[in-house]
Amino acid sequence: MRADHAEVSWDTEKSKWLVRISVGEEVIRRHCDLPQNADQKDLLIAAEKTLHDEGYELDAAAITVQQPKAA
């Protein structure tokens, strides 16, 4: 199946990265255990793996990474 968009952002409540996969109006949320200081390349790889694990395909260009703001 094809996803519309994916976004990776830091979830401050859980202190984990959150991958949001959008498929139409449905949004699938999955956390990953990378450290908060993970670089963009690792976050994109984690998002692609999450998409694959959930049975979705998406071009890497459609994945957005939102880096956490410095405290």
Side-chain angles (χ1 to χ4, degrees):
M1 235 188 316
R2 192 113 180 111
D4 298 325
H5 183 263
E7 177 182 292
V8 183
S9 61
W10 182 252
D11 184 344
T12 53
E13 256 183 51
K14 303 261 186 195
S15 294
K16 291 186 176 196
W17 287 101
L18 175 64
V19 179
R20 288 184 189 91
I21 304 167
S22 300
V23 182
E25 292 187 23
E26 181 180 2
V27 177
I28 300 162
R29 299 165 44 104
R30 297 292 181 261
H31 285 92
C32 66
D33 292 325
L34 290 174
Q36 185 174 4
N37 64 348
D39 65 14
Q40 184 153 341
K41 179 183 172 191
D42 290 337
L43 293 169
L44 287 172
I45 291 169
E48 289 173 346
K49 181 180 180 332
T50 301
L51 282 156
H52 178 74
D53 290 350
E54 294 296 324
Y56 293 100
E57 296 176 5
L58 184 65
D59 295 329
I63 301 172
T64 305
V65 176
Q66 306 253 341
Q67 293 288 349
K69 293 181 172 74

